Amino acid sequence: MGIRENIQEINKNKEAVTLRAGRQSGEVLLVAVTKTRTAEEINEAIDAGITDIGENKVQEIMDKFDSVKPVRWHMIGHLQTNKVKYIIDKVAMIHSVDSFRLAEEINRRAEQHNLVMDILVQVNSAQEESKFGITSAETGELITAILENCPNIRIRGLMCIAPFEDNPEDVRIYFREVKELFDQYVQHSHAALDFRYLSMGMSHDYEAAIMEGSNMIRVGTAIFGERNYQIQG
Ligand SMILES: *Cc1c(COP(=O)(O)O)cnc(C)c1O
């Protein structure tokens, strides 16, 4: 199957699961994860209806930015403080904020560009050492610090990468924990803390994530096929 057919298939699945979960049609946004993909492949996905793409490396965003058709770019990978300046005027949202130091730098660069950056706080609810993100318990402290010190940041929600399990049903508890945290903030939303996005679910676990309340799924492999990092270099 080609990129277009894969996107149609995922959209169909996403819609079916959304309704099965008792949620509203169209509530879940598909972010196509385009890391290692060429601008041509990405443009094919955009022609097939993709409006949002996710990259996990600053360098790839910079390399491809001018060759990709107009689309919303999401930074979904670990972001080093010294690289914020390269993407601050390119991305619509940064999903991977997990330290106050990073938030401060995003705020500083956003102010220089006279913009307000939308961010998500990355929560590592399974507390895996190999993953970035903060624990659920640390989330409140980081959010308070950002609210008090970073006027050029708007906190839009939470992001979570679940551990890999052969059976995606096994990671639902991690998604559920992040959803519960998300709901607490939704109830207390205001201008700087406008909680709306819960970014959870990848190719192999997006259905489980939607069942647990995700409204933004980040899907790469199921759209573009397996990644080949060797060729990419
Ligand atoms: C690569 C990546 C994805 C997509 O993973 P697939 O398994 O290819 O769907 C989602 N989120 C993040 C943060 C990623 O780095």
Side-chain angles (χ1 to χ4, degrees), residues 84-153:
V84 172
K85 58 178 177 284
Y86 301 120
I87 59 157
I88 194 73
D89 58 343
K90 297 186 173 58
V91 302
M93 189 180 283
I94 299 172
H95 291 223
S96 44
V97 176
D98 61 356
S99 75
F100 181 58
R101 212 174 128 252
L102 175 59
E104 272 186 315
E105 176 63 7
I106 292 170
N107 183 65
R108 191 167 80 88
R109 296 296 178 179
E111 190 183 357
Q112 284 175 356
H113 285 266
N114 204 14
L115 56 84
V116 174
M117 180 55 66
D118 280 348
I119 66 136
L120 305 179
V121 170
Q122 183 175 352
V123 181
N124 179 357
S125 61
Q127 304 195 21
E128 281 184 292
E129 298 218 349
S130 60
K131 296 227 169 76
F132 294 102
I134 55 175
T135 64
S136 307
E138 291 162 334
T139 307
E141 199 179 328
L142 177 58
I143 288 177
T144 304
I146 294 174
L147 284 176
E148 287 175 356
N149 299 283
C150 304
N152 289 71
I153 286 181

Side-chain angles (χ1 to χ4, degrees), residues 25-203:
S25 167
E27 202 183 296
V28 181
L29 177 68
L30 171 61
V31 176
V33 176
T34 50
K35 62 196 190 202
T36 78
R37 302 300 166 182
T38 63
E40 290 71 35
E41 289 172 294
I42 300 171
N43 285 332
E44 198 179 327
I46 293 170
D47 287 340
I50 289 295
T51 56
D52 292 76
I53 64 174
E55 286 281 354
N56 71 336
K57 291 210 172 82
V58 167
Q59 189 62 49
E60 280 198 65
I61 296 176
M62 293 171 67
D63 289 347
K64 294 182 242 181
F65 194 79
D66 289 335
S67 328
V68 168
K69 295 181 179 187
V71 71
R72 276 190 298 271
W73 292 73
H74 297 247
M75 176 61 192
I76 61 172
H78 179 64
L79 179 57
Q80 284 174 280
T81 311
N82 61 355
K83 292 191 175 159
V84 172
K85 58 178 177 284
Y86 301 120
I87 59 157
I88 194 73
D89 58 343
K90 297 186 173 58
V91 302
M93 189 180 283
I94 299 172
H95 291 223
S96 44
V97 176
D98 61 356
S99 75
F100 181 58
R101 212 174 128 252
L102 175 59
E104 272 186 315
E105 176 63 7
I106 292 170
N107 183 65
R108 191 167 80 88
R109 296 296 178 179
E111 190 183 357
Q112 284 175 356
H113 285 266
N114 204 14
L115 56 84
V116 174
M117 180 55 66
D118 280 348
I119 66 136
L120 305 179
V121 170
Q122 183 175 352
V123 181
N124 179 357
S125 61
Q127 304 195 21
E128 281 184 292
E129 298 218 349
S130 60
K131 296 227 169 76
F132 294 102
I134 55 175
T135 64
S136 307
E138 291 162 334
T139 307
E141 199 179 328
L142 177 58
I143 288 177
T144 304
I146 294 174
L147 284 176
E148 287 175 356
N149 299 283
C150 304
N152 289 71
I153 286 181
R154 188 164 54 155
I155 310 174
R156 303 308 308 271
L158 302 175
M159 183 271 237
C160 158
I161 304 174
F164 184 89
E165 295 286 350
D166 288 330
N167 182 357
E169 287 295 303
D170 294 343
V171 299
R172 283 180 64 161
I173 54 163
Y174 303 117
F175 290 143
R176 195 172 308 155
E177 182 179 325
V178 181
K179 171 69 160 76
E180 281 168 10
L181 203 57
F182 177 78
D183 285 342
Q184 290 172 21
Y185 287 101
V186 169
Q187 285 167 13
H188 299 104
S189 275
H190 51 83
L193 180 90
D194 185 7
F195 258 57
R196 235 191 99 181
Y197 298 107
L198 184 54
S199 168
M200 310 195 293
M202 316 187 355
S203 291

